[in-house]
Amino acid sequence: MIETPITAEDLTLYAMHLLDGTAVARVDLLLRSSSEARAELAQIRGDLAAFALSAPQHTPPALTRQRLLKQVAREGRAVPIPVAMQDLSPFVIDTPGASDAPAPGARMEKLTVEERRSRVRLPRILSDPELILDANDPSPSDRARPASFTASLPHGVSSIQPVARRESPAVEHLFSNSIAPPPSRTREAPAAAMATPPPELPEDRYESSTPFARSAYVSAEEARSSRFGNVSAWTGWAAAAALAAAAAFLFYTNLAQQQQLEKQSATLARNGAQVQRADVLMQTLQSSAAQRFVLARQDTAPVPSARVAYLPEHASLIFQGTNLEALAPYKTYELWLIPAGEGRQPMPAGTFRPDARGYATLVLPPLPHGTVAGNFGVTVEDDGGSTTPTLPILLIGQQS
Amino acid sequence: MQNTEDGVLLALVGQGDEGAMAAMFDRYSRVVYSVALRVLRDPAAAEDVLQEVFMQIWRKPDALVTNRGAIGAWLAVVSRNRSIDLLRRRKPTDSVDDVVLASSTDLAVESERTLMIERARTIMVSLPVEQRKTLEMAFFDGLTHSEIAETTGDPLGTVKTRIRTALLVLRKAMHA
């Protein structure tokens, strides 16, 4: 079977996602090989964007903005920064079998919001690798890696799995600072200083790494300075005190957060009930299964009519039309809000088409807040609505 | 930030500037929401699309940077695609990175935006009604050319030609 060539018309349908799977695969193939096809597709998308602008313009409800900005604040920024990637060389992210460096395009698993917040709020004393190393962790090489990694990560970036026991220069530096050999020796051979303890070093590494033990194996020349020894000892006490203070701080922060959470849960439950009620109300108004009755004098013939309930403060509007005549294809009814005051232009308040029984509802169409209505009217417009009403006005309001 | 250029706003968004994100929303939310509402005819669903599209900007601002087309135009197309996906109850069919478009339509300034919207509407009204309706059915209702042919009784080839012709007329008139 001879396949028909792909035409610009096919590209147009492709741009609108209206082709089936086989045709899409063919176009994909063409796009990979033809820069002209790619250029034409981009052009078609540009045309479609211009066409999209012909849609009737509506302003989104004000709450949408708040909702978005809340989510933006909640998610924060989750973009890895290049410096952190260098420090991450001993770790692999979602890339099984990879070596030291993350493969190009490797995806980072995002941390939860709580994890990010906890990192952001962590007091310095707990996130500072030096202080953690001096506390009570047994293995210097094991300690150094996660501590330095946490410090180098932008908050909210990723979770990681260590795959190689290798310290980066930054880690070595941190470690050499904390283990307290004399500065000159550390500069010459930091790795050697780590791997080979000096002969005076006691066997118990935990003890040797505490600030108190440091003074026991400093050189004889350094030991002459008793003042320095005292400072070193006090540093340890200060670190322990700071650690305790941080723990207390975290405890009270956690307590406050729990209380806040309980309050928010209660608010959420109340809101949930309100939403449920509003949902039922909306269904009653909008559902095609809802039974509707219009009560009138017995001898009155059915005439088109409508009711509008409008709250300017919230820009909330509910419209219910009855006995509305069916419209020709490509036509629609449009509701207009005529603002109070002379010379003000009618504002489009939504389009609608009646069902087979002549009923139509319009619930919460997008409207600007605070516009006091002088009246409402209904006209027939081309499908999609209009920005200015087309006469005649079929229904006009009377405030009750 | 009201008068800040799109590129600068986007760079700030890339740095995690929430104020820039708010400015971006103020500038383009009406376009995105209007397109979504036209497709979905449901304010709540249109709000969801609006939220999703702008969160895409926040999460992947570089997707817009790599798209050299005007941001407003890009947003309008992405909003339409997401809305159609929702209408057809399917998963998003493309990644935002894939939507590359060429457009000279700069919608950053409100007066320009209004002008372009008016111009697009005027051009569409001037089209033969069957061309306009066919394009609307394809773009805003997400009907395939087969579905449109079934609805209108026109041959498949005619439907495809009408869509293409309508877009070409629009392209020419917008660049005039």
Side-chain angles (χ1 to χ4, degrees):
Chain A
M1 187 177 138
I2 300 170
E3 287 188 333
T4 52
I6 294 165
T7 62
E9 289 164 355
D10 294 322
L11 278 181
T12 308
L13 296 176
Y14 176 89
M16 288 193 274
H17 299 178
L18 300 179
L19 291 181
D20 61 26
T22 321
V24 168
R26 288 184 62 216
V27 176
D28 279 338
L29 206 62
L30 173 72
L31 289 171
R32 272 200 287 275
S33 61
S34 167
S35 59
E36 283 176 15
R38 286 197 296 273
E40 177 57 21
L41 180 64
Q43 196 70 56
I44 290 168
R45 287 199 178 117
D47 300 337
L48 291 174
F51 177 58
L53 296 179
S54 69
Q57 295 296 297
H58 298 284
T59 306
L63 281 177
T64 317
R65 188 179 191 273
Q66 287 176 25
R67 190 176 144 208
L68 176 85
L69 294 179
K70 265 186 194 171
Q71 194 176 345
V72 160
R74 204 163 50 232
E75 285 199 12
R77 172 45 36 93
V79 179
I81 56 173
V83 176
M85 293 304 290
Q86 289 166 8
D87 289 344
L88 280 174
S89 57
F91 305 90
V92 169
I93 301 157
D94 283 354
T95 317
S99 59
D100 288 353
R107 294 179 70 81
M108 292 185 168
E109 181 193 336
K110 278 174 63 183
L111 293 176
T112 63
V113 174
E114 286 72 21
E115 284 168 328
R116 280 186 230 153
R117 284 187 179 157
S118 67
R119 288 194 180 190
V120 172
R121 290 173 185 169
L122 203 61
R124 183 184 168 275
I125 190 163
L126 289 183
S127 61
D128 188 329
E130 291 187 43
L131 293 176
I132 290 174
L133 287 171
D134 277 351
N136 56 4
D137 203 316
S139 162
S141 59
D142 285 347
R143 288 174 311 203
R145 192 185 303 113
S148 64
F149 169 70
T150 307
S152 64
L153 258 185
H155 66 272
V157 171
S158 61
S159 67
I160 55 159
Q161 295 298 322
V163 294
R165 292 169 66 85
R166 194 187 75 184
E167 282 74 29
S168 68
V171 171
E172 289 172 8
H173 175 68
L174 283 171
F175 183 73
S176 64
N177 281 347
S178 64
I179 202 75
S184 59
R185 234 185 292 165
T186 307
R187 274 197 298 275
E188 283 163 17
M194 270 170 47
T196 317
E200 300 87 352
L201 190 66
E203 281 179 18
D204 185 341
R205 292 174 67 194
Y206 165 57
E207 193 182 339
S208 70
S209 65
T210 62
F212 304 106
R214 284 182 197 171
S215 57
Y217 62 87
V218 292
S219 68
E221 197 178 334
E222 285 167 331
R224 277 187 217 125
S225 171
S226 61
R227 192 177 168 195
F228 174 79
N230 286 340
V231 169
S232 179
W234 279 108
T235 307
W237 281 111
L243 200 61
F249 170 76
L250 281 180
F251 173 76
Y252 284 111
T253 307
N254 189 29
L255 199 65
Q257 280 176 342
Q258 272 182 3
Q259 285 169 350
Q260 200 178 356
L261 196 66
E262 280 166 15
K263 274 185 197 167
Q264 284 174 346
S265 298
T267 310
L268 205 62
R270 273 200 305 278
N271 290 347
Q274 284 175 359
V275 166
Q276 203 172 5
R277 192 167 177 274
D279 195 38
V280 172
L281 180 67
M282 296 282 269
Q283 278 184 36
T284 311
L285 286 169
Q286 287 186 297
S287 172
S288 57
Q291 289 186 294
R292 297 182 177 89
F293 297 91
V294 177
L295 307 181
R297 280 167 53 128
Q298 275 191 319
D299 55 353
T300 308
V303 289
S305 65
R307 283 181 174 278
V308 172
Y310 173 60
L311 201 56
E313 185 189 348
H314 296 296
S316 58
L317 181 150
I318 296 172
F319 167 93
Q320 288 180 290
T322 53
N323 297 322
L324 297 169
E325 289 175 13
L327 290 174
Y330 314 147
K331 290 286 182 186
T332 182
Y333 285 108
E334 186 155 13
L335 177 67
W336 299 93
L337 185 161
I338 303 162
E342 278 188 25
R344 302 201 50 190
Q345 293 298 311
M347 300 163 63
T351 58
F352 56 91
R353 292 179 69 86
D355 62 17
R357 295 175 296 168
Y359 290 109
T361 55
L362 197 57
V363 179
L364 303 178
L367 286 169
H369 283 246
T371 309
V372 178
N375 208 337
F376 283 90
V378 172
T379 62
V380 174
E381 306 290 344
D382 284 340
D383 198 7
S386 171
T387 49
T388 50
T390 307
L391 296 177
I393 298 174
L394 299 182
L395 300 172
I396 189 79
Q398 193 176 4
Q399 197 163 359
S400 54
Chain B
M1 290 199 186
Q2 207 175 356
N3 300 318
T4 311
E5 281 180 16
D6 276 352
V8 178
L9 270 189
L10 204 54
L12 290 171
V13 168
Q15 290 165 14
D17 187 326
E18 293 174 19
M21 193 63 202
M24 189 73 88
F25 182 87
D26 293 340
R27 190 170 292 180
Y28 291 120
S29 60
R30 200 170 146 84
V31 169
V32 173
Y33 180 71
S34 298
V35 172
L37 191 60
R38 173 68 180 84
V39 172
L40 295 164
R41 297 166 192 264
D42 174 359
E47 279 179 45
D48 287 344
V49 169
L50 176 68
Q51 176 94 355
E52 193 195 332
V53 168
F54 275 93
M55 284 313 294
Q56 290 284 352
I57 300 179
W58 179 248
R59 290 170 189 147
K60 300 184 82 174
D62 49 332
L64 273 93
V65 174
T66 51
N67 277 283
R68 291 176 299 279
I71 289 173
W74 186 90
L75 285 170
V77 169
V78 170
S79 172
R80 180 269 176 190
N81 290 350
R82 284 285 179 272
S83 302
I84 294 291
D85 289 341
L86 200 64
L87 198 66
R88 297 201 155 209
R89 295 175 191 282
R90 65 187 180 195
K91 287 181 181 175
T93 44
D94 61 4
S95 157
V96 288
D97 305 321
D98 297 337
V99 183
V100 178
L101 60 79
S103 173
S104 55
T105 314
D106 187 356
L107 304 173
V109 182
E110 188 171 357
S111 56
E112 281 292 307
R113 208 156 49 232
T114 310
L115 194 70
M116 297 312 287
I117 288 168
E118 275 310 308
R119 187 189 279 189
R121 296 198 70 172
T122 309
I123 296 165
M124 291 318 296
V125 169
S126 70
L127 282 178
V129 70
E130 64 279 0
Q131 265 182 30
R132 178 167 59 88
K133 284 311 299 181
T134 309
L135 181 56
E136 283 177 352
M137 287 164 98
F139 187 78
F140 287 127
D141 299 331
L143 296 179
T144 65
H145 55 303
S146 313
E147 288 167 338
I148 296 170
E150 221 169 86
T151 308
T152 60
D154 295 319
L156 272 177
T158 307
V159 171
K160 286 164 84 171
T161 308
R162 275 183 187 157
I163 293 172
R164 174 74 181 160
T165 311
L167 277 185
L168 286 179
V169 171
L170 183 68
R171 183 187 297 180
K172 200 174 166 186
M174 290 297 276
H175 288 98

